[in-house]
Amino acid sequence: MARLPSALCHVAAALAALAFAWQVSQTALVTTSVQFVAPLLLIIAVHTLWLALGGGLRPGFALRVLGRSAGTAAGMVAVFALASLVAPMPAAADEGEVVFVLSILACLVVLLMVVAVAGFVIYFVFRLMRGLVRMLGKGPEDGPGSRLHDFASLGAAVAVLGALSLEGLPELYAFPEGNEVVASRVIEAEAAQVWAAMETATSPEFPLPAVLDIFPRPVAVTVDEGTALGANRQVRFTGREGSGVLSLRVVERTPELARFEVLGDTSPYAGWMRFEGLRYRVTPMGDATRLEVALRFERKLAPHWFFTPAMRGAGALAMDVLARDVKRRAEF
């Protein structure tokens, strides 16, 4: 029974954060850090209030609040990630309401991952700072002064999170959104064979990196006119967020380069990033050829410290899959 109040506090904090996130998701702030970081402030507030009502604001309560808040966020990630993993993909489920529910689950997992990362970083940073202060012999003893130190520490954590929550708000601050990821492979074939392999887009016949399983995946190439200047290519993507088509056209073609520009995007990715273009560069190397595949995109979501590395990492893996597929077919 002694654990019941603590469990109820985690539930109350989680519900408060989810209610706040749901309200923000109905506004223009859905892509900003208000949506992805500010819910942690609600979790911290609930845990602080819970301790205060129970007379638990004893020396050291600041780290206790931050630790419990990080725990709440981690628990929420686990629950919704499990629900998302066991839920069927749209291809195996009915459309409509099922896809809507799956989309909500996927968005919640991403949101809560940001909250959990922020929570644990804040917790460990302030734990480290507190340890360093005590090692230097300048930390307060476990008395009234220590509680003032706790209030100051908790206030500083809230201030940092408050500042981080403002990223992406109009007329405040944001970080560069443009990104390019590149993958390259040396292919044991002449350039002409490499170009011939790229004339047709196919599904890779090798295991994909497991991390890509959580992202929408290409399921069909509905239009494929090759790599000549003006050629069109349309790829259908399907994921738990629904289905849609990415439309591209070759706008630049030289003996060493084919550059596709994005004409339209209704794929699930459209809510996260804006695809700008895809580039294939073929460089002869004697009897071999170096193939470089590059993707240009703009990140739509904030905070950048979470979404930029995540999108760049996933994008680099996806480009490497394209390069490996061309390599396999050109060398066959």
Side-chain angles (χ1 to χ4, degrees), residues 6-155:
S6 178
L8 287 177
C9 182
H10 285 295
V11 172
L15 291 176
L18 291 175
F20 175 82
W22 175 257
Q23 291 299 320
V24 175
S25 70
Q26 309 304 306
T27 72
L29 304 180
V30 64
T31 60
T32 71
S33 283
V34 174
Q35 167 80 338
F36 292 98
V37 178
L40 182 57
L41 293 172
L42 270 293
I43 294 175
I44 290 174
V46 171
H47 278 288
T48 303
L49 180 61
W50 197 275
L51 282 180
L53 293 176
L57 296 184
R58 297 184 295 275
F61 76 84
L63 281 179
R64 193 154 56 247
V65 166
L66 294 177
R68 291 182 178 182
S69 298
T72 297
M76 294 167 71
V77 171
V79 170
F80 286 101
L82 180 61
S84 179
L85 289 175
V86 301
M89 292 289 284
D94 295 329
E95 295 293 332
E97 292 184 359
V98 173
V99 173
F100 174 75
V101 172
L102 296 177
S103 175
I104 294 297
L105 283 174
C107 292
L108 281 174
V109 172
V110 174
L111 184 154
L112 296 174
M113 286 177 64
V114 181
V115 171
V117 170
F120 276 102
V121 168
I122 288 291
Y123 170 70
F124 284 114
V125 166
F126 278 85
R127 186 183 182 90
L128 177 62
M129 291 175 60
R130 186 180 181 89
L132 290 175
V133 168
R134 286 187 171 180
M135 285 178 59
L136 295 173
K138 298 181 180 180
E141 300 297 328
D142 289 341
S146 178
R147 289 211 299 176
L148 290 177
H149 181 269
D150 282 318
F151 279 115
S153 298
L154 195 58

Side-chain angles (χ1 to χ4, degrees), residues 241-316:
E241 302 82 359
S243 299
V245 174
L246 177 67
S247 301
L248 308 101
R249 176 176 294 163
V250 179
V251 296
E252 183 179 358
R253 183 68 163 88
T254 70
E256 294 188 348
L257 177 73
R259 183 167 65 85
F260 288 81
E261 184 177 88
V262 174
L263 302 180
D265 185 9
T266 61
S267 75
Y269 287 107
W272 312 343
M273 59 179 72
R274 186 174 74 85
F275 288 124
E276 295 182 333
L278 181 68
R279 183 182 72 244
Y280 290 92
R281 186 179 297 278
V282 174
T283 305
M285 301 172 58
D287 294 333
T289 304
R290 177 176 294 278
L291 172 64
E292 179 183 278
V293 187
L295 173 69
R296 290 183 296 107
F297 67 90
E298 285 189 0
R299 168 184 53 81
K300 290 185 177 182
L301 304 178
H304 81 286
W305 52 262
F306 181 89
F307 288 109
T308 294
M311 291 179 178
R312 288 184 61 85

Side-chain angles (χ1 to χ4, degrees), residues 197-252:
M198 288 192 293
E199 283 300 303
T200 303
T202 63
S203 298
E205 296 183 359
F206 50 81
L208 302 183
V211 68
L212 293 181
D213 289 343
I214 64 177
F215 295 97
R217 301 176 70 171
V219 294
V221 180
T222 55
V223 175
D224 190 1
E225 299 175 352
T227 60
L229 185 64
N232 294 302
R233 181 169 291 177
Q234 293 184 352
V235 184
R236 175 167 292 279
F237 288 84
T238 296
R240 292 185 174 87
E241 302 82 359
S243 299
V245 174
L246 177 67
S247 301
L248 308 101
R249 176 176 294 163
V250 179
V251 296
E252 183 179 358

